[in-house]
Amino acid sequence: MVGLGCYVTSPQTITVLGATGSIGLSTLDVIARHSDRYKVFALTGYTRLNELEALCIIHKPRFAVVPTEANAEALDHKLKAAGLSTQILVGEAGLDEVSAHPDVDAVMAAIVGAAGLKPTLAAVRAGKKVLLANKEALVMSGSLFMQAVIKYGAKLLPIDSEHNAIFQCLPTGYEEGLSSKGVRRVLLTASGGPFRETPLDALRDVTPDQACAHPNWSMGRKISVDSATMMNKGLEFIEACWLFNAKPEQVEIVVHPQSVIHSLVDYVDGSVLAQLGNPDMRTPIAHALAWPERIESGVNPLDLFAVARLDFQKPDEQRFPCLRLAREAISVGGTAPAVLNAANEVAVEAFLGGRARFDEIPQIIEAVLQQETVSAVTDLECVMQADRHARGLASAWLERHGR
Ligand code: NAD
Ligand code: MG
Protein backbone atom coordinates (compact mmCIF):
# COMPACT_ATOMS: atom_id res chain seq x y z
CA MET A 1 0.00 0.00 0.00
CA VAL A 2 2.99 2.33 0.36
CA GLY A 3 2.69 5.22 -2.04
CA LEU A 4 -1.05 4.86 -2.57
CA GLY A 5 -1.71 7.40 0.16
CA CYS A 6 -4.48 5.40 1.77
CA TYR A 7 -4.84 2.42 4.08
CA VAL A 8 -7.76 0.12 4.53
CA THR A 9 -7.50 -0.83 8.23
CA SER A 10 -9.69 -3.61 9.54
CA PRO A 11 -11.79 -2.86 12.63
CA GLN A 12 -10.35 -3.73 16.06
CA THR A 13 -11.90 -6.87 17.50
CA ILE A 14 -13.32 -6.51 21.00
CA THR A 15 -14.34 -9.03 23.64
CA VAL A 16 -16.83 -7.63 26.14
CA LEU A 17 -16.69 -9.58 29.41
CA GLY A 18 -19.91 -8.84 31.30
CA ALA A 19 -21.73 -7.57 28.20
CA THR A 20 -25.17 -7.66 29.84
CA GLY A 21 -24.14 -5.33 32.69
CA SER A 22 -24.19 -1.57 32.96
CA ILE A 23 -20.61 -1.10 31.69
CA GLY A 24 -21.05 -3.83 29.07
CA LEU A 25 -24.12 -2.11 27.62
CA SER A 26 -22.44 1.33 27.61
CA THR A 27 -19.45 -0.23 25.82
CA LEU A 28 -21.69 -1.74 23.16
CA ASP A 29 -23.45 1.61 22.76
CA VAL A 30 -20.10 3.30 21.97
CA ILE A 31 -18.98 0.45 19.70
CA ALA A 32 -22.25 0.63 17.73
CA ARG A 33 -21.49 4.30 16.94
CA HIS A 34 -18.19 3.28 15.30
CA SER A 35 -18.74 0.09 13.32
CA ASP A 36 -15.92 1.15 10.97
CA ARG A 37 -13.44 1.04 13.88
CA TYR A 38 -14.67 -1.79 16.14
CA LYS A 39 -16.09 -5.26 15.65
CA VAL A 40 -17.51 -7.30 18.53
CA PHE A 41 -15.57 -10.57 18.79
CA ALA A 42 -17.18 -12.10 21.89
CA LEU A 43 -19.93 -11.28 24.38
CA THR A 44 -20.31 -12.90 27.79
CA GLY A 45 -23.22 -12.96 30.21
CA TYR A 46 -24.01 -14.71 33.46
CA THR A 47 -27.56 -13.67 34.20
CA ARG A 48 -30.15 -11.96 31.97
CA LEU A 49 -29.39 -14.36 29.13
CA ASN A 50 -32.35 -13.09 27.10
CA GLU A 51 -30.51 -9.79 27.01
CA LEU A 52 -27.38 -11.61 25.84
CA GLU A 53 -29.36 -13.23 23.04
CA ALA A 54 -30.66 -9.81 21.90
CA LEU A 55 -27.12 -8.38 22.00
CA CYS A 56 -25.82 -11.30 19.91
CA ILE A 57 -28.49 -10.66 17.31
CA ILE A 58 -27.43 -6.99 17.09
CA HIS A 59 -23.65 -7.41 17.23
CA LYS A 60 -23.20 -10.87 15.64
CA PRO A 61 -20.15 -11.92 17.69
CA ARG A 62 -17.97 -14.89 16.74
CA PHE A 63 -18.32 -16.24 20.31
CA ALA A 64 -20.74 -15.93 23.22
CA VAL A 65 -20.04 -17.29 26.71
CA VAL A 66 -22.68 -18.45 29.21
CA PRO A 67 -22.35 -20.13 32.63
CA THR A 68 -23.77 -23.62 32.00
CA GLU A 69 -24.13 -26.28 29.27
CA ALA A 70 -27.91 -25.97 29.52
CA ASN A 71 -27.66 -22.19 28.94
CA ALA A 72 -25.38 -22.87 25.98
CA GLU A 73 -27.79 -25.31 24.39
CA ALA A 74 -30.72 -22.91 24.77
CA LEU A 75 -28.79 -19.94 23.36
CA ASP A 76 -27.32 -21.99 20.52
CA HIS A 77 -30.80 -23.08 19.49
CA LYS A 78 -32.14 -19.49 19.51
CA LEU A 79 -29.17 -17.98 17.66
CA LYS A 80 -29.23 -20.69 14.99
CA ALA A 81 -32.93 -20.02 14.49
CA ALA A 82 -32.02 -16.35 13.99
CA GLY A 83 -29.53 -17.35 11.29
CA LEU A 84 -26.36 -16.64 13.34
CA SER A 85 -23.21 -18.78 13.39
CA THR A 86 -22.05 -17.55 16.83
CA GLN A 87 -20.18 -20.29 18.68
CA ILE A 88 -21.27 -20.73 22.30
CA LEU A 89 -18.66 -21.45 24.98
CA VAL A 90 -19.23 -22.32 28.63
CA GLY A 91 -17.98 -21.21 32.06
CA GLU A 92 -14.52 -20.13 33.17
CA ALA A 93 -12.74 -21.94 30.33
CA GLY A 94 -14.94 -20.11 27.83
CA LEU A 95 -14.22 -16.74 29.47
CA ASP A 96 -10.47 -17.42 29.37
CA GLU A 97 -10.64 -18.47 25.74
CA VAL A 98 -12.39 -15.31 24.49
CA SER A 99 -10.05 -13.13 26.60
CA ALA A 100 -6.82 -14.60 25.27
CA HIS A 101 -7.86 -15.60 21.74
CA PRO A 102 -5.20 -14.69 19.15
CA ASP A 103 -7.81 -12.88 17.01
CA VAL A 104 -8.82 -10.45 19.82
CA ASP A 105 -7.33 -6.97 19.94
CA ALA A 106 -8.94 -5.55 23.08
CA VAL A 107 -10.84 -6.89 26.08
CA MET A 108 -13.34 -4.87 28.09
CA ALA A 109 -13.12 -6.38 31.60
CA ALA A 110 -16.60 -5.57 32.93
CA ILE A 111 -17.55 -8.62 34.97
CA VAL A 112 -18.42 -7.56 38.51
CA GLY A 113 -16.37 -8.83 41.45
CA ALA A 114 -13.81 -11.58 41.96
CA ALA A 115 -15.36 -13.67 39.16
CA GLY A 116 -13.65 -11.30 36.72
CA LEU A 117 -10.11 -11.88 37.96
CA LYS A 118 -9.16 -14.99 35.98
CA PRO A 119 -10.41 -13.89 32.55
CA THR A 120 -8.97 -10.40 33.02
CA LEU A 121 -5.59 -11.91 33.91
CA ALA A 122 -5.90 -14.23 30.91
CA ALA A 123 -6.25 -11.13 28.68
CA VAL A 124 -3.26 -9.50 30.37
CA ARG A 125 -1.14 -12.63 29.97
CA ALA A 126 -2.05 -12.76 26.28
CA GLY A 127 -0.69 -9.20 25.95
CA LYS A 128 -4.03 -7.64 24.99
CA LYS A 129 -5.20 -4.08 25.26
CA VAL A 130 -7.20 -4.42 28.50
CA LEU A 131 -9.92 -1.91 29.37
CA LEU A 132 -10.25 -2.35 33.10
CA ALA A 133 -13.64 -1.69 34.69
CA ASN A 134 -13.44 -4.71 37.01
CA LYS A 135 -11.55 -2.95 39.83
CA GLU A 136 -11.97 -5.95 42.16
CA ALA A 137 -9.57 -7.97 39.94
CA LEU A 138 -6.77 -5.45 40.45
CA VAL A 139 -7.54 -4.92 44.15
CA MET A 140 -7.31 -8.67 44.77
CA SER A 141 -4.16 -9.42 42.87
CA GLY A 142 -2.33 -6.01 42.81
CA SER A 143 1.38 -6.79 42.40
CA LEU A 144 0.75 -10.00 40.47
CA PHE A 145 -1.54 -8.20 38.01
CA MET A 146 0.81 -5.25 37.42
CA GLN A 147 3.85 -7.53 37.02
CA ALA A 148 1.92 -9.52 34.39
CA VAL A 149 1.04 -6.30 32.53
CA ILE A 150 4.75 -5.52 32.20
CA LYS A 151 5.91 -9.09 31.56
CA TYR A 152 3.40 -9.78 28.77
CA GLY A 153 3.37 -6.27 27.27
CA ALA A 154 -0.37 -5.72 27.83
CA LYS A 155 -1.74 -2.18 27.51
CA LEU A 156 -3.85 -1.42 30.57
CA LEU A 157 -6.38 1.41 30.26
CA PRO A 158 -8.53 2.42 33.24
CA ILE A 159 -12.30 2.62 32.76
CA ASP A 160 -13.23 3.65 36.29
CA SER A 161 -14.10 7.31 35.66
CA GLU A 162 -11.73 8.60 38.37
CA HIS A 163 -8.76 6.55 37.20
CA ASN A 164 -9.48 7.34 33.60
CA ALA A 165 -9.51 11.04 34.57
CA ILE A 166 -6.16 10.71 36.39
CA PHE A 167 -4.71 8.81 33.42
CA GLN A 168 -5.78 11.68 31.16
CA CYS A 169 -4.12 14.25 33.46
CA LEU A 170 -0.82 12.38 34.00
CA PRO A 171 2.31 12.91 31.89
CA THR A 172 3.75 9.99 29.94
CA GLY A 173 6.31 7.88 31.79
CA TYR A 174 4.52 8.17 35.16
CA GLU A 175 4.81 4.39 35.55
CA GLU A 176 8.39 4.85 36.75
CA GLY A 177 7.18 6.84 39.76
CA LEU A 178 4.96 9.87 40.21
CA SER A 179 7.58 12.03 42.00
CA SER A 180 10.08 11.74 39.15
CA LYS A 181 7.46 13.35 36.87
CA GLY A 182 6.72 16.28 39.18
CA VAL A 183 3.45 14.84 40.47
CA ARG A 184 2.80 15.63 44.13
CA ARG A 185 -0.38 13.59 44.53
CA VAL A 186 -3.49 12.41 42.79
CA LEU A 187 -6.86 13.59 44.04
CA LEU A 188 -9.56 10.96 43.76
CA THR A 189 -13.04 12.48 43.75
CA ALA A 190 -16.03 10.79 45.38
CA SER A 191 -19.68 11.77 45.21
CA GLY A 192 -20.22 10.58 48.79
CA GLY A 193 -23.15 8.43 47.59
CA PRO A 194 -26.79 8.72 48.67
CA PHE A 195 -26.08 8.81 52.45
CA ARG A 196 -23.55 11.63 52.65
CA GLU A 197 -25.86 13.61 54.91
CA THR A 198 -28.23 10.97 56.28
CA PRO A 199 -28.35 11.00 60.11
CA LEU A 200 -25.93 8.30 61.35
CA ASP A 201 -28.56 6.39 63.34
CA ALA A 202 -30.79 6.13 60.22
CA LEU A 203 -28.12 4.12 58.33
CA ARG A 204 -29.23 1.06 60.30
CA ASP A 205 -32.56 0.93 58.49
CA VAL A 206 -31.40 1.68 54.94
CA THR A 207 -33.00 -0.65 52.35
CA PRO A 208 -31.26 -2.12 49.25
CA ASP A 209 -33.35 0.08 46.95
CA GLN A 210 -32.38 3.22 48.87
CA ALA A 211 -28.72 2.19 48.78
CA CYS A 212 -28.88 1.54 45.02
CA ALA A 213 -30.44 4.93 44.21
CA HIS A 214 -27.21 6.79 43.45
CA PRO A 215 -27.63 10.56 43.06
CA ASN A 216 -25.43 10.91 39.92
CA TRP A 217 -24.58 7.54 38.35
CA SER A 218 -26.67 4.61 37.10
CA MET A 219 -24.74 1.37 37.82
CA GLY A 220 -25.04 -2.31 38.73
CA ARG A 221 -26.37 -3.11 42.22
CA LYS A 222 -23.10 -4.27 43.78
CA ILE A 223 -21.12 -1.15 42.87
CA SER A 224 -24.12 0.99 43.86
CA VAL A 225 -24.04 -0.46 47.38
CA ASP A 226 -20.24 -0.02 47.41
CA SER A 227 -20.79 3.64 46.55
CA ALA A 228 -23.28 3.99 49.39
CA THR A 229 -20.84 2.52 51.96
CA MET A 230 -17.95 4.30 50.17
CA MET A 231 -16.18 0.94 49.91
CA ASN A 232 -16.18 1.78 46.21
CA LYS A 233 -13.83 4.68 46.98
CA GLY A 234 -11.80 2.40 49.26
CA LEU A 235 -11.38 -0.11 46.41
CA GLU A 236 -10.58 2.76 44.05
CA PHE A 237 -7.94 4.06 46.49
CA ILE A 238 -6.20 0.67 46.28
CA GLU A 239 -6.77 0.56 42.51
CA ALA A 240 -5.09 3.98 42.13
CA CYS A 241 -2.03 2.87 44.13
CA TRP A 242 -1.49 -0.07 41.75
CA LEU A 243 -2.43 1.61 38.46
CA PHE A 244 -0.28 4.70 38.97
CA ASN A 245 2.53 3.20 41.06
CA ALA A 246 1.49 5.60 43.84
CA LYS A 247 2.22 5.36 47.55
CA PRO A 248 -0.95 5.51 49.68
CA GLU A 249 0.11 8.94 50.98
CA GLN A 250 0.17 10.20 47.35
CA VAL A 251 -3.56 9.50 46.93
CA GLU A 252 -6.11 11.80 48.54
CA ILE A 253 -9.87 11.32 48.49
CA VAL A 254 -11.95 14.47 47.94
CA VAL A 255 -15.73 14.39 48.29
CA HIS A 256 -17.26 16.29 45.37
CA PRO A 257 -21.04 15.76 45.38
CA GLN A 258 -21.73 16.95 41.80
CA SER A 259 -19.54 14.24 40.11
CA VAL A 260 -18.47 16.69 37.40
CA ILE A 261 -14.74 16.68 38.14
CA HIS A 262 -13.83 13.02 37.79
CA SER A 263 -10.40 13.39 39.48
CA LEU A 264 -7.32 15.62 39.53
CA VAL A 265 -3.53 15.54 39.48
CA ASP A 266 -1.57 17.96 41.69
CA TYR A 267 1.92 18.91 40.44
CA VAL A 268 4.89 20.30 42.42
CA ASP A 269 4.75 23.64 40.60
CA GLY A 270 1.25 24.27 41.97
CA SER A 271 -0.62 23.26 38.80
CA VAL A 272 -3.66 21.07 39.34
CA LEU A 273 -5.05 19.36 36.24
CA ALA A 274 -8.59 18.00 36.28
CA GLN A 275 -10.81 16.08 33.88
CA LEU A 276 -14.47 17.16 33.81
CA GLY A 277 -17.54 15.84 32.07
CA ASN A 278 -21.11 14.71 32.54
CA PRO A 279 -21.33 11.60 34.73
CA ASP A 280 -21.71 9.05 31.91
CA MET A 281 -19.41 6.04 31.63
CA ARG A 282 -19.41 6.26 27.83
CA THR A 283 -16.78 9.03 28.13
CA PRO A 284 -14.06 6.91 29.79
CA ILE A 285 -15.09 3.92 27.65
CA ALA A 286 -14.73 5.90 24.40
CA HIS A 287 -11.47 7.41 25.65
CA ALA A 288 -9.96 4.00 26.41
CA LEU A 289 -11.29 2.35 23.25
CA ALA A 290 -9.82 5.00 20.93
CA TRP A 291 -6.74 6.01 22.98
CA PRO A 292 -4.60 7.85 22.00
CA GLU A 293 -7.20 9.19 19.57
CA ARG A 294 -10.62 10.67 20.47
CA ILE A 295 -14.01 9.53 19.24
CA GLU A 296 -17.64 10.56 19.78
CA SER A 297 -19.23 8.79 22.74
CA GLY A 298 -22.84 9.95 22.60
CA VAL A 299 -22.36 11.93 25.85
CA ASN A 300 -23.88 15.43 25.91
CA PRO A 301 -21.44 18.36 26.10
CA LEU A 302 -20.88 19.60 29.64
CA ASP A 303 -23.00 22.67 30.39
CA LEU A 304 -21.01 24.55 33.05
CA PHE A 305 -23.75 27.17 33.41
CA ALA A 306 -26.23 24.44 34.34
CA VAL A 307 -23.67 22.91 36.77
CA ALA A 308 -23.11 26.41 38.23
CA ARG A 309 -21.11 25.30 41.29
CA LEU A 310 -18.61 22.69 42.37
CA ASP A 311 -18.29 21.72 46.05
CA PHE A 312 -15.53 19.86 47.89
CA GLN A 313 -15.42 18.25 51.32
CA LYS A 314 -13.12 16.01 53.34
CA PRO A 315 -14.31 12.39 53.56
CA ASP A 316 -15.88 11.36 56.86
CA GLU A 317 -14.25 8.07 57.94
CA GLN A 318 -16.50 7.77 60.98
CA ARG A 319 -19.60 7.75 58.80
CA PHE A 320 -17.88 5.55 56.20
CA PRO A 321 -15.63 3.04 58.06
CA CYS A 322 -15.02 1.19 54.75
CA LEU A 323 -12.60 3.98 53.77
CA ARG A 324 -10.44 3.27 56.84
CA LEU A 325 -10.64 -0.51 56.29
CA ALA A 326 -9.44 -0.15 52.68
CA ARG A 327 -6.61 2.16 53.72
CA GLU A 328 -5.55 -0.35 56.38
CA ALA A 329 -5.72 -3.26 53.92
CA ILE A 330 -3.39 -1.61 51.38
CA SER A 331 -0.89 -0.65 54.07
CA VAL A 332 -0.87 -4.23 55.46
CA GLY A 333 -0.43 -5.43 51.86
CA GLY A 334 -0.11 -9.07 50.73
CA THR A 335 -3.46 -10.83 50.63
CA ALA A 336 -5.19 -8.20 52.87
CA PRO A 337 -6.87 -6.36 49.93
CA ALA A 338 -8.15 -9.71 48.57
CA VAL A 339 -9.59 -10.47 52.03
CA LEU A 340 -11.18 -7.00 52.21
CA ASN A 341 -12.72 -7.50 48.77
CA ALA A 342 -14.06 -11.00 49.44
CA ALA A 343 -15.59 -10.04 52.80
CA ASN A 344 -17.18 -7.01 51.15
CA GLU A 345 -18.67 -9.12 48.34
CA VAL A 346 -20.27 -11.52 50.83
CA ALA A 347 -21.50 -8.67 53.04
CA VAL A 348 -23.00 -6.74 50.11
CA GLU A 349 -24.73 -9.86 48.78
CA ALA A 350 -26.15 -10.52 52.25
CA PHE A 351 -27.37 -6.92 52.46
CA LEU A 352 -28.97 -7.08 49.00
CA GLY A 353 -30.60 -10.39 49.98
CA GLY A 354 -32.04 -8.94 53.21
CA ARG A 355 -29.71 -10.99 55.47
CA ALA A 356 -27.54 -8.15 56.77
CA ARG A 357 -28.20 -4.55 57.74
CA PHE A 358 -26.46 -1.73 55.85
CA ASP A 359 -24.41 -0.71 58.91
CA GLU A 360 -23.27 -4.32 59.35
CA ILE A 361 -21.36 -4.32 56.05
CA PRO A 362 -18.23 -2.66 57.54
CA GLN A 363 -18.63 -4.70 60.74
CA ILE A 364 -18.47 -7.96 58.77
CA ILE A 365 -15.42 -6.79 56.80
CA GLU A 366 -13.58 -5.63 59.91
CA ALA A 367 -14.29 -8.91 61.72
CA VAL A 368 -12.95 -10.92 58.76
CA LEU A 369 -9.83 -8.73 58.42
CA GLN A 370 -9.12 -9.24 62.12
CA GLN A 371 -9.45 -13.03 61.92
CA GLU A 372 -7.71 -13.72 58.64
CA THR A 373 -3.95 -14.37 58.52
CA VAL A 374 -2.38 -12.27 55.78
CA SER A 375 0.29 -13.79 53.54
CA ALA A 376 2.45 -12.55 50.67
CA VAL A 377 0.99 -12.70 47.14
CA THR A 378 3.27 -15.08 45.26
CA ASP A 379 0.86 -16.59 42.76
CA LEU A 380 -2.79 -16.58 41.73
CA GLU A 381 -3.58 -19.57 43.93
CA CYS A 382 -2.67 -17.75 47.14
CA VAL A 383 -5.00 -14.88 46.11
CA MET A 384 -7.83 -17.34 45.39
CA GLN A 385 -7.18 -19.15 48.69
CA ALA A 386 -7.37 -15.87 50.64
CA ASP A 387 -10.58 -15.06 48.74
CA ARG A 388 -12.18 -18.44 49.57
CA HIS A 389 -11.10 -18.34 53.21
CA ALA A 390 -12.36 -14.78 53.73
CA ARG A 391 -15.71 -15.72 52.16
CA GLY A 392 -15.92 -18.62 54.63
CA LEU A 393 -15.25 -16.29 57.57
CA ALA A 394 -17.83 -13.76 56.36
CA SER A 395 -20.44 -16.51 55.94
CA ALA A 396 -19.60 -17.80 59.42
CA TRP A 397 -20.19 -14.26 60.79
CA LEU A 398 -23.64 -14.27 59.17
CA GLU A 399 -24.43 -17.70 60.61
CA ARG A 400 -23.26 -16.68 64.10
CA HIS A 401 -25.68 -13.76 63.87
CA GLY A 402 -28.54 -16.04 62.86
CA ARG A 403 -28.76 -15.03 59.17
P1 NAD B 1 -23.44 -5.18 36.50
O1 NAD B 1 -23.92 -5.93 37.69
O2 NAD B 1 -24.36 -4.24 35.83
O3 NAD B 1 -22.89 -6.22 35.40
C1 NAD B 1 -22.03 -7.26 35.75
C2 NAD B 1 -21.75 -8.17 34.57
O4 NAD B 1 -20.95 -9.27 35.05
C3 NAD B 1 -23.01 -8.79 33.96
O5 NAD B 1 -22.81 -8.94 32.57
C4 NAD B 1 -23.08 -10.17 34.62
O6 NAD B 1 -23.76 -11.12 33.81
C5 NAD B 1 -21.60 -10.51 34.74
N1 NAD B 1 -21.33 -11.44 35.83
C6 NAD B 1 -21.79 -11.36 37.12
N2 NAD B 1 -21.34 -12.41 37.85
C7 NAD B 1 -20.59 -13.16 37.01
C8 NAD B 1 -19.89 -14.40 37.17
N3 NAD B 1 -19.85 -15.05 38.34
N4 NAD B 1 -19.25 -14.90 36.08
C9 NAD B 1 -19.26 -14.27 34.89
N5 NAD B 1 -19.93 -13.10 34.67
C10 NAD B 1 -20.59 -12.57 35.73
O7 NAD B 1 -22.10 -4.41 36.96
P2 NAD B 1 -21.49 -3.05 36.39
O8 NAD B 1 -22.08 -1.90 37.11
O9 NAD B 1 -21.51 -3.06 34.90
O10 NAD B 1 -19.98 -3.17 36.90
C11 NAD B 1 -19.06 -4.03 36.28
C12 NAD B 1 -17.67 -3.73 36.80
O11 NAD B 1 -17.33 -2.40 36.43
C13 NAD B 1 -17.57 -3.77 38.33
O12 NAD B 1 -16.32 -4.28 38.70
C14 NAD B 1 -17.67 -2.32 38.74
O13 NAD B 1 -16.98 -2.02 39.94
C15 NAD B 1 -16.99 -1.63 37.57
N6 NAD B 1 -17.41 -0.25 37.34
C16 NAD B 1 -18.71 0.02 37.04
C17 NAD B 1 -19.12 1.33 36.85
C18 NAD B 1 -20.55 1.64 36.46
O14 NAD B 1 -20.85 2.82 36.22
N7 NAD B 1 -21.44 0.69 36.37
C19 NAD B 1 -18.20 2.38 37.00
C20 NAD B 1 -16.88 2.07 37.30
C21 NAD B 1 -16.50 0.75 37.47
MG1 MG C 1 -15.38 5.06 39.92
Side-chain angles (χ1 to χ4, degrees):
M1 296 293 281
V2 176
L4 290 181
C6 72
Y7 287 92
V8 180
T9 48
S10 48
Q12 277 184 43
T13 51
I14 319 280
T15 281
V16 184
L17 300 173
T20 55
S22 164
I23 293 287
L25 294 172
S26 292
T27 304
L28 291 170
D29 181 279
V30 177
I31 288 177
R33 294 165 191 272
H34 302 280
S35 53
D36 52 330
R37 280 179 167 259
Y38 308 110
K39 166 93 190 83
V40 173
F41 179 80
L43 297 177
T44 87
Y46 191 73
T47 50
R48 308 205 303 169
L49 296 179
N50 287 340
E51 181 97 26
L52 184 66
E53 177 197 343
L55 293 173
C56 286
I57 288 168
I58 297 168
H59 296 280
K60 302 185 176 45
R62 192 157 134 200
F63 294 101
V65 185
V66 291
T68 69
E69 291 288 349
N71 297 144
E73 220 170 283
L75 185 61
D76 187 52
H77 186 71
K78 287 177 185 159
L79 294 186
K80 281 214 174 90
L84 263 68
S85 55
T86 301
Q87 210 177 311
I88 319 290
L89 306 176
V90 178
E92 281 188 9
L95 294 175
D96 284 357
E97 186 172 339
V98 298
S99 301
H101 197 288
D103 295 344
V104 172
D105 296 316
V107 175
M108 166 56 81
I111 289 175
V112 61
L117 173 58
K118 284 185 182 166
T120 306
L121 257 187
V124 168
R125 288 174 173 161
K128 302 296 181 194
K129 173 169 155 180
V130 178
L131 283 53
L132 184 73
N134 180 205
K135 66 194 88 185
E136 296 93 340
L138 183 56
V139 167
M140 291 172 74
S141 65
S143 57
L144 205 70
F145 192 103
M146 295 310 290
Q147 282 159 16
V149 168
I150 295 166
K151 181 171 174 191
Y152 296 98
K155 182 71 216 169
L156 186 60
L157 292 157
I159 294 297
D160 225 332
S161 56
E162 297 78 1
H163 305 72
N164 184 270
I166 292 166
F167 181 78
Q168 293 196 43
C169 296
L170 280 174
T172 49
Y174 68 83
E175 298 88 344
E176 286 139 38
L178 293 179
S179 316
S180 69
K181 292 288 165 189
V183 174
R184 189 155 34 202
R185 56 196 179 140
V186 297
L187 303 170
L188 198 62
T189 54
S191 70
F195 307 131
R196 192 169 47 87
E197 291 177 327
T198 306
L200 277 181
D201 53 7
L203 292 182
R204 211 189 132 84
D205 303 317
V206 155
T207 66
D209 283 346
Q210 287 170 329
C212 288
H214 195 280
N216 307 332
W217 297 94
S218 149
M219 309 180 284
R221 281 173 86 75
K222 190 263 177 181
I223 185 178
S224 296
V225 176
D226 285 348
S227 299
T229 61
M230 284 195 81
M231 178 54 93
N232 184 48
K233 211 49 56 181
L235 297 175
E236 289 183 358
F237 181 86
I238 299 173
E239 184 186 16
C241 291
W242 288 117
L243 276 177
F244 307 121
N245 193 11
K247 299 184 189 89
E249 57 274 19
Q250 289 178 306
V251 183
E252 187 171 339
I253 297 171
V254 178
V255 175
H256 162 50
Q258 290 92 355
S259 299
V260 168
I261 297 183
H262 298 306
S263 278
L264 315 90
V265 175
D266 178 12
Y267 287 85
V268 288
D269 63 2
S271 301
V272 179
L273 302 191
Q275 187 260 1
L276 287 73
N278 286 318
D280 186 323
M281 289 306 292
R282 291 177 300 175
T283 294
I285 290 167
H287 171 265
L289 271 172
W291 182 87
E293 293 171 33
R294 298 269 178 180
I295 55 170
E296 290 261 359
S297 63
V299 176
N300 288 331
L302 180 64
D303 179 351
L304 280 174
F305 300 110
V307 171
R309 59 180 277 182
L310 301 170
D311 295 300
F312 306 97
Q313 297 162 0
K314 276 195 177 298
D316 179 350
E317 289 198 1
Q318 201 200 334
R319 172 181 289 274
F320 298 112
C322 288
L323 288 175
R324 170 179 56 80
L325 295 172
R327 202 187 290 282
E328 286 169 6
I330 184 76
S331 50
V332 169
T335 50
V339 171
L340 172 95
N341 179 68
N344 180 55
E345 286 192 26
V346 174
V348 170
E349 200 182 308
F351 167 67
L352 285 172
R355 290 179 297 116
R357 291 196 319 265
F358 183 76
D359 63 329
E360 286 175 335
I361 296 173
Q363 292 175 30
I364 296 170
I365 301 164
E366 184 148 29
V368 172
L369 279 167
Q370 278 168 1
Q371 286 175 69
E372 181 71 66
T373 314
V374 170
S375 60
V377 169
T378 48
D379 57 19
L380 186 58
E381 182 42 35
C382 69
V383 174
M384 298 315 291
Q385 206 180 327
D387 175 88
R388 282 193 297 273
H389 199 249
R391 282 171 199 272
L393 290 174
S395 302
W397 188 102
L398 291 165
E399 256 172 54
R400 267 202 316 280
H401 291 75
R403 320 299 166 79

